[in-house]
Amino acid sequence: MLSKPHAIFADALASDFAIGAFNTSNMELTQGIIRAADRQKSPVIVQTSEGAIEYAGLQVLSSIIKTLAGQASVPVIMHLDHGKSLDTAKRCIEAGYTSVMIDQSTLPFEQNIKNTKEVVEYAHARGVWVEAELGAIIGNEGVKDLHGGQTPDSFLTDPEQAKQFVESTGVDALAVSVGTIHGAFSGQEYIRFELLHEIQSILPQVPLVLHGASGLSSDNLTQACKTHVCKVNVDTELRIGFERAVKAYFDNAHDSYDPRKILGPGRDAVEAIVAEKITLFGSAGTAGIY
Ligand code: G3H
Ligand code: ZN
C-alpha cells in the first residue's frame, strides 16, 4: 500500500535497520523493486529523479507506482529524488508523492536553508515528508567538477552546520556526505564512520540518508544501517543489473522480438538485486509492524 514515511522512519531510527530507496523510470523497474519488497516483507521507497519524471511523464510514472503500491502487501513510499526546485516538489506532492527531497546542496549554505525551508513549509502543510542534503555527493545529480584545490573531501558534511541546517529548516531527514559517490566506484568509496557518528550524536533525533550506495562494500552497508542511517539510495547497481540481463538475452541465441522477452529478464535481475540489498539493510520482515 502507498504509505507515509513517518512511522517507518521512526522505527528505523529506533531499531538497527534502514529502508532501501530504489530508483525507477518505468514499469519493469518498479515491478522488480516492489516484488522484491513484497517477497522480503519489507517497507520500501520507490523514488524518481527529475530525469525519470521527464522521461516517463509525472502522471504516467506516479500512476504506475501508485497502482503497484496498491497491490503490494508492504508499505511503499513514493519519493522525489534530488528535486531541484519548489516547483518540482509541488508537482510531485500534487501527484500524490508521500515524500520529497529538495536538493540545494550545491548552493551556498544560507541559500540552501532558505530554499529548503520553503519546501518544508509547503510539504508539511500537506503531510508530506521532506529530505534535504547538506554537504554534497560527488558524481551524477551532485558535484561533477572539482575546482581550485577541491578534493572529494571538501564536500563532506560539517556536523555543526548540519545542526544549524536542521534547526533552521525543520527538515525531516538529512542526506549526508560521508564518503559515498554517485555511481558504482567499488574500492574507491567508503564511509567515514567517525564523521557519521559525530553527525548522529549532534542530531540524535534526525534520520540520516545515505546516497550513492552503489559500489559500497556489503560490510560498509551493513555497518551503516546499524547507525542512524535510515534510508539508503541505490540506483546505478539496478541499471547495471538490468542492462546485463537484457544484454545476456541478446548475446544468447534468441528467437523472439517480443519486448516482454527482452525486458522480462531485466525486471527479474532488478528484483534479485533489491531483495539482496533489503537483506543487507536489515529491513526484511519489518513490514508487518505498521
Ligand atoms: O539518489 C540516488 C542515489 O544516491 C543513487 O546512487 O547510483 O550510486 O546508487 P548510486
Ligand atoms: Zn543521490
Side-chain angles (χ1 to χ4, degrees):
M1 69 289 296
L2 189 65
S3 299
K4 285 181 177 288
H6 306 68
I8 302 168
F9 272 84
D11 192 44
L13 188 64
S15 315
D16 282 348
F17 73 88
I19 310 145
F22 304 97
N23 286 73
T24 188
S25 53
N26 69 7
M27 182 191 77
E28 282 80 6
L29 289 162
T30 313
Q31 285 178 324
I33 295 164
I34 294 181
R35 284 179 187 182
D38 239 329
R39 215 170 86 197
Q40 294 281 42
K41 301 195 181 350
S42 169
V44 72
I45 298 167
V46 178
Q47 57 185 15
T48 67
S49 66
E50 290 189 342
I53 290 171
E54 199 181 318
Y55 170 77
L58 179 59
Q59 292 312 321
V60 172
L61 200 49
S62 61
S63 299
I64 291 172
I65 300 168
K66 275 187 268 185
T67 302
L68 294 171
Q71 293 170 357
S73 62
V74 295
V76 177
I77 294 161
M78 180 160 66
H79 175 75
L80 166 67
D81 187 30
H82 291 287
K84 299 290 183 189
S85 66
L86 176 61
D87 185 54
T88 310
K90 270 185 182 169
R91 288 176 55 226
C92 289
I93 291 168
E94 274 149 29
Y97 282 56
T98 50
S99 174
V100 293
M101 176 185 189
I102 174 74
D103 177 5
Q104 304 287 286
S105 59
T106 55
L107 295 182
F109 184 58
E110 292 301 336
Q111 194 63 44
N112 188 355
I113 289 181
K114 184 174 175 289
N115 297 358
T116 300
K117 204 173 165 194
E118 212 177 325
V119 172
V120 168
E121 279 163 10
Y122 185 89
H124 282 183
R126 290 154 184 84
V128 171
W129 179 267
V130 182
E131 169 187 336
E133 180 170 317
L134 186 70
I137 320 277
I138 309 288
N140 289 336
E141 307 278 3
V143 174
K144 294 197 187 70
D145 301 306
L146 301 176
H147 301 284
Q150 286 177 329
T151 68
D153 284 4
S154 319
F155 299 95
L156 295 175
T157 303
D158 177 90
E160 285 298 336
Q161 272 200 339
K163 186 170 167 24
Q164 196 187 332
F165 184 80
V166 171
E167 285 171 357
S168 311
T169 58
V171 77
D172 300 297
L174 185 67
V176 288
S177 175
V178 290
T180 56
I181 306 170
H182 278 135
F185 295 93
S186 302
Q188 294 174 56
E189 47 183 325
Y190 58 92
I191 297 174
R192 277 38 164 208
F193 280 100
E194 210 175 296
L195 175 58
L196 184 56
H197 286 124
E198 207 183 325
I199 298 168
Q200 81 171 38
S201 65
I202 218 163
L203 286 169
Q205 304 304 328
V206 179
L208 303 176
V209 180
L210 193 66
H211 279 247
S214 295
L216 266 187
S217 71
S218 300
D219 276 1
N220 252 218
L221 275 175
T222 317
Q223 213 185 321
C225 294
K226 292 190 174 137
T227 68
H228 286 193
V229 166
C230 296
K231 171 175 181 270
V232 179
N233 284 17
V234 183
D235 184 5
T236 306
E237 282 187 36
L238 302 190
R239 295 179 188 214
I240 293 172
F242 189 92
E243 189 263 352
R244 282 193 186 146
V246 173
K247 186 168 180 298
Y249 172 80
F250 286 110
D251 286 348
N252 294 323
H254 58 276
D255 57 2
S256 171
Y257 40 77
D258 185 338
R260 293 170 293 186
K261 295 259 169 59
I262 298 167
L263 299 178
R267 175 172 64 186
D268 295 345
V270 167
E271 182 180 337
I273 296 165
V274 171
E276 196 188 315
K277 294 293 180 197
I278 284 174
T279 305
L280 286 176
F281 300 165
S283 69
T286 65
I289 58 184
Y290 307 108

